[in-house]
Amino acid sequence: MSFPIVRHRRLRSSAAMRNIVRENSLSVHDLIQPIFVTVGHNIKEEIPSMPGVYHFSLDRLDEELHEIAALGIQGILLFGVPDSKDEVGSSAYDDNGIVQQATRRVKALYPDMLVIADTCLCQFTSTGHCGVIHHDPNTGRADVTNDESLALLTKTAVSQARAGADIIAPSNMMDGFVAAIREGLDEAGLSHIPIMSYSVKYASAFYGPFRDAAHSAPQFGDRKTYQMDPANAREALREAESDVIEGADFLMVKPALAYMDVIQLLKQNYDFPIVAYNVSGEYSMIKAAASKGWIDEQAIVMEMLVGFKRAGADIVLTYFAKDAAGWLKQK
């Protein structure tokens, strides 16, 4: 049958009608707020390329946590900005490192708030890369060593979990990173800690503002030898399959906005919670356009976040989490 018997507008005739047939919705429980914690005192510094996002020292972290908790957001993703770096990123797995200290602070104030620890070395290495660099004396080429890096990433994950992290979120894109971290956690008596794997992480231009925020820009070269080519979709299934086999509990796609097809691919192929990371460049573009009055920020953000849910995301990591939570309360 077709028009005039079929009339699709019948189900759009009022707000109530649209509400009862709505296929996807956004809840505050879907949202995770990233936080940048740094060494020092009395620091709350806005990140220039990310308006409304701040570096917090531990003594100023409480005010951010109070706001997040009051909005009903149940989880945060912690990034640490250390005061010292070296070639092996040793402050990442220091039991008194900035992420570990911040985790203990969060759990002391809000025991039920989920702390997700980003597990990578790039913020902590002097090279800005996600692993240990090997220099080939014959060719002069410098590249990240996979297996040596796995050992340090595992130490980092165990240290973060012992500090109280509820979820380990490895973002390094080394081959075998989920298996190495799962084994390390289990051997440390931490088999109950889930892994939120950055399963499908592209070598994306959308990360620019984050590298300012985390002080993690590579000091040479790029990350294309370990992060994925943005042109590839089928490769995402191979990456995700490896993580599933190795023991991941969540599968993440990063970035989200330009990769909704990949989010949908994972949702169709894996019966795991799917996480979309709405990254810094996506955030900053909207903020910049909104500051010019070119777009309605609230409308754009909420449409985008629902779009991630429609594509198949169960969880959304976003710098808009607090804003979205506030807007949802107003409904």
Side-chain angles (χ1 to χ4, degrees):
M1 291 186 293
S2 62
F3 179 84
I5 296 173
V6 174
R7 292 179 180 267
H8 300 292
R9 289 180 57 189
R10 293 181 188 128
L11 302 185
R12 304 169 189 158
S13 59
S14 67
M17 184 71 75
R18 292 189 295 274
N19 285 339
I20 66 169
V21 299
R22 182 161 291 139
E23 298 174 21
N24 295 281
S25 61
L26 183 71
S27 161
V28 68
H29 300 318
D30 302 326
L31 303 172
I32 302 292
Q33 177 71 48
I35 299 180
F36 295 95
V37 185
T38 191
V39 175
H41 299 282
N42 195 31
I43 296 172
K44 181 183 178 182
E45 294 178 348
E46 189 171 42
I47 299 163
S49 57
M50 299 178 70
V53 179
Y54 296 83
H55 287 125
F56 291 95
S57 54
L58 291 173
D59 58 327
R60 296 290 299 272
L61 184 58
D62 297 15
E63 58 196 83
E64 179 75 348
L65 296 175
H66 295 333
E67 184 178 352
I68 289 168
L71 287 165
I73 297 170
Q74 295 182 310
I76 59 171
L77 176 64
L78 276 181
F79 293 101
V81 182
D83 58 352
S84 64
K85 303 186 180 191
D86 56 35
E87 290 188 352
V88 295
S90 59
S91 57
Y93 46 87
D94 182 341
D95 289 340
N96 202 36
I98 185 62
V99 171
Q100 289 83 347
Q101 290 186 61
T103 299
R104 288 191 286 267
R105 182 65 183 163
V106 176
K107 299 308 282 188
L109 288 169
Y110 294 99
D112 294 330
M113 184 175 285
L114 287 174
V115 174
I116 305 169
D118 179 80
T119 306
C120 196
L121 300 179
C122 60
Q123 300 105 286
F124 305 95
T125 58
S126 52
T127 65
H129 278 282
C130 301
V132 179
I133 298 296
H134 171 72
H135 297 273
D136 189 320
N138 298 314
T139 65
R141 179 181 174 182
D143 200 4
V144 174
T145 62
N146 195 89
D147 296 7
E148 185 179 351
S149 300
L150 290 180
L152 300 184
L153 290 161
T154 300
K155 287 179 66 175
T156 301
V158 169
S159 177
Q160 292 170 336
R162 283 176 171 162
D166 299 286
I167 300 172
I168 295 300
S171 59
N172 54 87
M173 288 298 284
M174 297 295 107
D175 289 335
F177 69 94
V178 172
I181 290 172
R182 182 72 275 156
E183 182 179 359
L185 290 171
D186 291 354
E187 287 180 352
L190 297 163
S191 60
H192 61 288
I193 300 293
I195 296 174
M196 180 183 285
S197 174
Y198 285 64
S199 297
V200 182
K201 182 178 179 181
Y202 287 90
S204 173
F206 283 98
Y207 303 149
F210 173 88
R211 290 174 181 169
D212 289 339
H215 301 169
S216 63
Q219 298 304 298
F220 61 87
D222 54 41
R223 295 174 178 154
K224 293 180 180 178
T225 63
Y226 46 100
Q227 294 178 359
M228 284 179 54
D229 184 341
N232 294 354
R234 295 194 306 273
E235 184 184 4
L237 295 177
R238 300 198 298 273
E239 286 280 0
E241 183 178 14
S242 293
D243 290 357
V244 168
I245 292 169
E246 293 174 18
D249 300 282
F250 304 79
L251 304 176
M252 186 191 299
V253 176
K254 180 183 180 182
L257 189 59
Y259 298 88
M260 287 200 202
D261 60 321
V262 179
I263 295 171
Q264 187 173 57
L265 266 179
L266 264 61
K267 187 68 170 183
Q268 291 170 343
N269 284 276
Y270 299 104
D271 189 19
F272 279 71
I274 304 299
V275 185
Y277 196 148
N278 180 210
V279 301
S280 59
E282 298 164 355
Y283 173 87
S284 296
M285 288 191 304
I286 291 175
K287 283 292 188 180
S291 71
K292 295 287 188 181
W294 295 339
I295 60 170
D296 179 331
E297 181 177 343
Q298 179 176 339
I300 288 282
V301 170
M302 296 304 279
E303 182 177 339
M304 176 180 65
L305 297 179
V306 169
F308 298 146
K309 295 295 298 291
R310 187 186 68 247
D314 301 291
I315 301 161
V316 182
L317 285 161
T318 178
Y319 302 97
F320 287 113
K322 291 192 300 180
D323 292 330
W327 295 329
L328 287 167
K329 276 194 168 186
Q330 295 169 10
K331 285 190 173 182

